[in-house]
Amino acid sequence: MVTQLTQYAHPEALVETEWLEKHFKDDGIRIVEANEDVLLHDTGHIPGAVHIDWRADLQDPVIRDYISPEKFAELCSRNGITPDTTCIFYGDKANWWACYALWAFRLFGHEKVKILNGGRDKWKAEGRPMTRDVPKYAKTNYPVPKKRFDKEIRAFFDEALAQSKSGKPLIDVRSPGEYKGEITHMPEYPQEGVLRGGHIPGAKSMPWKTATEDDSTFKPASELAKIYFDQCGVSRNEDTVVYCRIGERSSHTWFVLTYLLGLNNVRNYDGSWTEWGNRVGAPIEKSA
């Protein structure tokens, strides 16, 4: 049974805080901090870490889309990253935005990616070294990616709609209130212009943070298997689509399903509720 899973499918996708403190000066790695609070990095960060602003660095300033392959190559080059660099991502809020940055790197085909288990919260709680020093790395010449892997790890509106109509696994990782349509934004966050509340018909509600422990580390593989295989109905034989508000919380779930549970058929619908809730004619459910 899938719930008998005893270890992560790709344990190499995680590094522990103890290991990183001993290895953050190693050649061939780049520590990347990505936070919800884009000013947090300047208050103190892991020595050697570079900061990637999820909005300014990864998203197109005009079009509702990600940066071009050319811009991605520039981003990596100025941070001293090559295709052979192992990027170790971490951040606040249980690595919520770190997983978003990792997913964006995978969108452009960067293969060597890992998450610091427990993220910024665990690193600070353990009293590990922090600095305000800005690291300086020699500029590299990162080649422009030949493609963006939209088809492989990203879903668009029509594909999410088809997923809904076919009854295939569809996971809404927002808060229960958002799922039920009681609110159209995260609790304690500002309203962001969505006109309708609710969820995509047929979607299962499983808030993203269900996958983490109180110390922001990921739950054991056996617990994750029960959550997603048993409760959400994901399968190795059927495609799964995950979504939230703009694709950031769902990228965390995408990481769990892809790297920790080993599924190779999961796509992140990053248009998510900001698109669906404003789309003319999009079907919506409000039931619990």
Side-chain angles (χ1 to χ4, degrees):
M1 292 176 61
V2 292
T3 52
Q4 293 178 340
L5 194 65
T6 57
Q7 64 179 9
Y8 298 134
H10 298 286
E12 72 281 1
L14 292 178
V15 300
E16 301 300 327
T17 52
E18 181 180 8
W19 182 93
L20 187 59
E21 185 173 357
K22 296 177 181 178
H23 294 274
F24 62 69
K25 293 183 179 180
D26 287 6
D27 293 334
I29 72 170
R30 183 69 68 244
I31 305 171
V32 179
E33 182 168 15
N35 301 311
E36 180 193 40
D37 180 355
V38 297
L39 301 178
L40 192 58
H41 178 83
D42 293 338
T43 68
H45 50 266
I46 296 175
V50 299
H51 178 225
I52 287 185
D53 184 323
W54 62 270
R55 182 185 289 114
D57 291 330
L58 297 175
Q59 297 188 353
D60 186 282
V62 178
I63 303 170
R64 173 66 165 87
D65 203 352
Y66 295 97
I67 54 176
S68 67
E70 290 79 10
K71 291 292 186 182
F72 179 76
E74 291 176 11
L75 173 67
C76 290
S77 295
R78 71 172 179 262
N79 283 299
I81 296 170
T82 75
D84 291 326
T85 302
T86 296
C87 293
I88 301 174
F89 296 85
Y90 81 99
D92 61 355
K93 303 290 180 69
N95 280 323
W96 162 5
W97 294 92
C99 287
Y100 186 61
L102 180 148
W103 180 82
F105 268 58
R106 290 296 298 122
L107 192 64
F108 289 97
H110 192 92
E111 295 183 354
K112 296 184 176 182
V113 294
K114 300 177 185 288
I115 287 288
L116 174 62
N117 199 16
R120 183 184 175 95
D121 298 337
K122 188 169 188 286
W123 185 275
K124 285 195 67 177
E126 293 171 345
R128 300 190 185 275
M130 302 281 282
T131 183
R132 292 186 180 183
D133 294 342
V134 178
K136 295 180 180 180
Y137 298 107
K139 186 176 181 180
T140 60
N141 186 23
Y142 197 102
V144 176
K146 296 180 180 179
K147 62 174 288 187
R148 208 170 61 182
F149 288 78
D150 288 333
K151 182 179 179 181
E152 290 81 0
I153 67 171
R154 190 181 185 191
F156 293 88
F157 174 85
D158 290 342
E159 294 163 324
L161 180 61
Q163 192 83 359
S164 171
K165 289 182 176 179
S166 66
K168 292 182 179 180
L170 186 62
I171 305 177
D172 185 320
V173 313
R174 299 175 299 160
S175 66
E178 291 171 276
Y179 177 83
K180 296 174 184 177
E182 296 170 349
I183 54 177
T184 57
H185 53 89
M186 293 176 286
E188 301 178 3
Y189 282 73
Q191 168 59 255
E192 293 174 296
V194 178
L195 298 175
R196 299 288 184 271
H199 59 267
I200 300 175
K204 296 286 183 66
S205 175
M206 187 57 67
W208 69 278
K209 207 170 183 181
T210 307
T212 65
E213 304 279 17
D214 291 340
D215 65 354
S216 295
T217 58
F218 292 99
K219 288 182 177 177
S222 58
E223 292 187 37
L224 295 176
K226 290 177 182 178
I227 292 167
Y228 294 103
F229 288 118
D230 295 353
Q231 297 179 44
C232 295
V234 303
S235 166
R236 301 189 188 281
N237 302 318
E238 284 190 310
D239 291 345
T240 295
V241 170
V242 294
Y243 75 94
C244 58
R245 178 184 58 98
I246 61 170
E248 67 323 11
R249 284 174 285 178
S250 48
S251 64
H252 188 279
T253 304
W254 175 88
F255 176 83
V256 170
L257 295 176
T258 301
Y259 284 95
L260 304 188
L261 294 181
L263 299 179
N264 60 7
N265 53 0
V266 183
R267 288 176 295 159
N268 184 17
Y269 171 36
D270 62 282
S272 285
W273 201 255
T274 54
E275 177 179 34
W276 197 281
N278 285 328
R279 179 92 174 213
V280 175
I284 291 175
E285 283 185 348
K286 286 181 174 284
S287 61

